[in-house]
């Protein structure tokens, strides 16, 4: 992509309305534009990251055997009356009436609708286990939408729903989600800690939230620092193996980690004093097991092996896809701008031409662009007629993890410069070596 032809409306000044760094940088880097309180347009750069995050979520969900579909944003009120949540949900639910005076709502979540799909098509335990998920916009009329995409009113969520014949099998689904979430967040460069939490309007007693530690987080959290040493890495998991999944869940849930809603002071104080940590955290996901809370009132029954009709056991599992952009920036930035982890960066590498219009520099940049594209890596090439300082400032702000700088002086010696956004370290090398190095960095991502 050539920057001269792109749409990157960077702001020079700090927007006054942004209280936290991620919101500030998302506005300054031209990633989002607020349209109303808590409702944003995703400008091209922000949209690229959003799609990258969605892609990782899809890949990891499907590795765990979960099946994508797509449900609408608008739902009929009758479904929610069946579960009893139409009145319970209160003012957070955006209620709409159509021209036939039919009551509808903009879905804040989809337990009812997925249960409706299930009961229409599934009859027997032989069709189980089944986990369906989608990535779709939600609306919650939050009292205090704030911090940009962190607490929006319209926001993108991955929500998945498992259907199982009994408790044990539903707990395996719960575990499978926890395991797959651990890898999902790690691929985004995040450490998200599963913490015992409260279930709120979704229901059930068994629930964990995934929290990214950050001083700007909205939740207060308490944990044993030992948990921050755990890494999921590139383990190969057999998601059908109940024992293997349960063992991984045990590894992550044995050290104490709870939100303020479930915090137990006496248990906390049993941890060695130097490992007792209190912090704030950003909730980037939550998983629930709620048994037959929806299947029973809504008539989602199947025939079991003994020929009896039984309500299915369910859980639901959410990832805050749009919130993740804010969480990643909170976890990875400096005073010059964002530092994207390679897994989610909008462009893998930037090219800065120090002397636009210089024949050799222009040709070298175009050559780099072509060579990178040939390796499946689309660079953002700053081909604007701007000072070097302004080009560097833009690259630093938008946070591409790698930058190749091309100037006539270096080229005379056959060299360009490859710079890491994270460390600031630069290395001079031939353009071919720079392409090979960038390709190597992204090979496993
Ligand atoms: C699980 C999936 C649910 O809604 N039903 C379907 C369950 N869970 S949840 O915890 O309420 O939401 C899941 C994740 O969505 C993100 N989230 C938000 N993101 C941005 N703005 C909001 N207002 C907002 N509300 C929830 C969180 O990451 C949450 O973990």
């Amino acid at each position: 992509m050539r920057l001269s032809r792109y749409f990157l409306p960077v702001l020079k000044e700090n927007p006054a309305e942004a209280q936290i760094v991620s919101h500030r940088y998302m506005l300054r880097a031209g990633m989002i534009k607020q349209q109303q309180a808590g409702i944003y347009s995703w400008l091209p750069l922000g949209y690229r990251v959003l799609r990258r995050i969605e892609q990782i979520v899809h890949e990891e969900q499907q590795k765990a055997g979960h099946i994508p579909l797509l449900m609408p944003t608008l739902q009929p009120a009758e479904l929610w009356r069946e579960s009893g949540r139409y009145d319970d949900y209160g003012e957070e639910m955006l209620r709409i009436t159509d021209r036939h005076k039919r009551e509808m709502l903009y879905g804040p979540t989809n337990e009812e609708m997925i249960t409706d799909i299930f009961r229409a098509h599934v009859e027997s335990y032989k069709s189980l286990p089944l986990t369906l998920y989608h990535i779709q916009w939600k609306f919650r009329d939050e009292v205090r939408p704030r911090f940009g995409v962190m607490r929006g009113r319209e926001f993108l969520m991955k929500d998945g729903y498992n259907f199982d014949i009994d408790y044990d099998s539903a707990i395996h689904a719960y575990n499978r989600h926890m395991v797959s979430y651990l890898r999902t967040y790690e691929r985004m460069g995040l450490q998200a800690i599963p913490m015992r939490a409260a279930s709120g309007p979704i229901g059930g007693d068994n629930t964990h939230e995934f929290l990214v530690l950050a001083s700007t987080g909205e939740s207060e959290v308490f944990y044993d620092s030992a948990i921050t040493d755990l890494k999921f890495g590139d383990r190969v998991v057999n998601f059908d193996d109940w024992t293997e999944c349960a063992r991984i869940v045990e590894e992550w849930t044995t050290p104490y980690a709870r939100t303020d809603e479930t915090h137990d002071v006496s248990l906390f104080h049993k941890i060695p004093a130097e490992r007792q940590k209190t912090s704030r955290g950003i909730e980037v996901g939550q998983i629930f097991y709620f048994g037959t809370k929806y299947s029973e009132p809504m008539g989602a029954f199947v025939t079991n092996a003994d020929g009896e009709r039984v309500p299915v056991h369910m859980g639901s599992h959410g990832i805050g896809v749009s919130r993740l952009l804010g969480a990643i920036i909170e976890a990875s930035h400096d005073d010059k701008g964002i530092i994207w982890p390679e897994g989610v960066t909008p462009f893998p590498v930037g090219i800065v031409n120090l002397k636009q219009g210089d024949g050799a520099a222009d040709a070298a940049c175009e050559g780099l662009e072509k060579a990178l594209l040939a390796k499946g890596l689309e660079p953002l090439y700053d081909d604007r007629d701007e000072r070097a300082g302004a080009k560097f400032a833009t690259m630093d702000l938008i946070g591409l993890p790698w930058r190749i700088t091309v100037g006539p002086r270096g080229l005379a010696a056959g060299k360009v410069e490859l710079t890491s956004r994270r460390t600031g370290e630069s290395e001079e090398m031939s353009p071919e070596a720079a392409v090979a190095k960038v390709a190597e960095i992204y090979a496993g991502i």
Side-chain angles (χ1 to χ4, degrees):
M1 178 59 67
R2 301 276 171 104
L3 194 44
S4 64
R5 299 179 201 166
Y6 199 44
F7 182 65
L8 185 73
V10 164
L11 306 179
K12 292 220 164 54
E13 303 299 322
N14 269 330
E17 73 267 31
Q19 295 163 288
I20 62 169
V21 71
S22 57
H23 189 195
R24 203 152 54 229
Y25 283 153
M26 287 184 79
L27 291 169
R28 282 197 47 209
M31 296 176 66
I32 50 170
K33 179 183 183 309
Q34 182 174 314
Q35 304 294 162
Q36 290 180 59
I39 303 180
Y40 292 86
S41 289
W42 293 80
L43 305 184
L45 193 77
Y47 185 49
R48 280 185 85 101
V49 181
L50 192 67
R51 280 197 324 207
R52 213 24 233 142
I53 292 176
E54 280 188 83
Q55 191 188 332
I56 292 176
V57 170
H58 273 302
E59 284 172 15
E60 294 304 327
Q61 284 302 300
Q62 288 170 45
K63 273 188 209 160
H66 306 159
I67 304 168
L69 47 47
L70 186 61
M71 290 175 269
T73 53
L74 294 181
Q75 306 187 20
E78 299 96 79
L79 272 183
W80 287 66
R81 291 214 168 87
E82 286 188 49
S83 70
R85 279 207 297 182
Y86 190 65
D87 296 321
D88 291 356
Y89 226 91
E91 300 226 275
E92 260 197 25
M93 182 186 274
L94 179 65
R95 294 156 210 258
I96 304 162
T97 313
D98 73 6
R99 63 164 76 200
H100 305 294
K101 306 278 175 285
R102 274 196 277 265
E103 290 174 286
M104 307 198 289
L105 56 103
Y106 192 135
T109 175
N110 285 55
E111 280 80 6
E112 284 78 359
M113 188 166 272
I114 200 82
T115 306
D116 180 56
I117 293 172
F118 181 89
R119 71 182 170 187
H121 300 288
V122 182
E123 280 293 322
S124 157
Y125 75 98
K126 290 182 188 151
S127 304
L128 306 183
L130 178 67
T131 295
L132 301 169
Y133 78 93
H134 70 166
I135 298 181
Q136 178 61 294
W137 294 94
K138 304 286 184 286
F139 195 96
R140 292 183 185 173
D141 205 353
E142 301 273 351
V143 192
R144 279 225 296 159
R146 57 181 186 155
F147 301 160
V149 299
M150 280 294 202
R151 180 162 295 278
R153 292 198 296 161
E154 188 184 48
F155 60 96
L156 193 58
M157 190 201 287
K158 169 262 157 179
D159 40 323
Y161 306 86
N162 69 284
F163 299 92
D164 285 275
I165 190 65
D166 55 23
Y167 174 82
D168 288 345
S169 146
I171 290 301
H172 170 59
Y174 186 89
N175 291 345
R176 201 174 59 228
H177 278 88
M178 186 179 289
V179 171
S180 82
Y181 279 23
L182 291 169
R183 195 202 306 276
T184 303
Y185 296 119
E186 268 195 24
R187 281 188 63 188
M188 299 175 191
L190 286 175
Q191 178 166 54
I193 304 173
M195 300 201 182
R196 187 159 281 288
S199 68
I202 306 294
D205 308 321
N206 229 336
T207 180
H208 281 86
E209 286 180 1
F210 286 77
L211 286 118
V212 173
L213 301 176
S215 56
T216 48
E218 293 191 288
S219 321
E220 194 178 13
V221 299
F222 303 84
Y223 62 97
D224 176 345
S225 64
I227 200 162
T228 57
D229 297 333
L230 298 177
K231 288 270 169 308
F232 194 82
D234 47 13
R235 330 176 174 197
V236 179
V237 177
N238 175 358
F239 284 99
D240 292 328
D241 185 333
W242 290 24
T243 316
E244 186 181 354
C245 290
R247 225 180 269 133
I248 296 172
V249 166
E250 196 187 321
E251 191 183 338
W252 256 270
T253 52
T254 303
Y256 186 93
R258 294 191 181 196
T259 63
D260 52 359
E261 293 161 327
T262 56
H263 183 47
D264 180 330
V265 178
S266 64
L267 270 181
F268 187 59
H269 287 143
K270 289 195 181 129
I271 309 168
E274 70 282 6
R275 293 194 344 228
Q276 291 173 21
K277 303 281 175 198
T278 307
S279 169
R280 302 201 65 85
I282 302 168
E283 181 204 324
V284 291
Q286 186 162 5
I287 56 175
F288 303 81
Y289 163 73
F290 42 68
T292 60
K293 172 174 171 167
Y294 301 90
S295 56
E296 197 135 20
M298 293 185 67
F301 285 62
V302 291
T303 307
N304 70 12
D306 301 325
E308 300 153 347
R309 299 287 289 165
V310 292
V312 280
H313 286 249
M314 292 173 59
S316 71
H317 315 275
I319 292 182
V321 173
S322 50
R323 176 179 286 182
L324 272 164
L325 275 93
I328 293 167
I329 298 172
E330 289 297 323
S332 185
H333 67 268
D334 62 15
D335 55 6
K336 294 190 211 131
I338 303 165
I339 306 173
W340 291 116
E342 276 86 357
V344 298
T345 184
F347 294 94
V349 55
I351 301 173
V352 168
N353 187 342
L354 292 178
K355 195 151 190 221
Q356 209 65 46
D358 174 278
D362 291 1
C365 288
E366 282 162 30
L368 281 166
E369 189 183 36
K370 246 194 219 125
L372 286 161
L373 279 171
K375 299 214 178 269
L377 298 165
E378 186 185 0
L380 180 66
Y381 168 23
D382 190 347
D383 61 338
R384 297 169 307 160
D385 195 10
E386 283 275 358
R387 289 177 302 109
K391 292 190 174 185
F392 289 144
T394 302
M395 282 294 172
D396 284 345
L397 174 63
I398 69 172
L400 309 186
W402 298 92
R403 185 185 81 208
I404 303 176
T405 310
V406 180
R409 206 173 314 147
L411 280 178
K415 306 269 190 210
V416 297
E417 201 179 61
L418 180 66
T419 307
S420 155
R421 173 71 182 84
R422 190 168 293 281
T423 65
E425 281 164 23
S426 293
E427 218 184 312
E428 284 200 3
M429 58 186 81
S430 68
E432 296 73 29
V435 170
K437 178 107 191 252
V438 172
E440 186 190 316
I441 290 163
Y442 283 96
I445 287 165

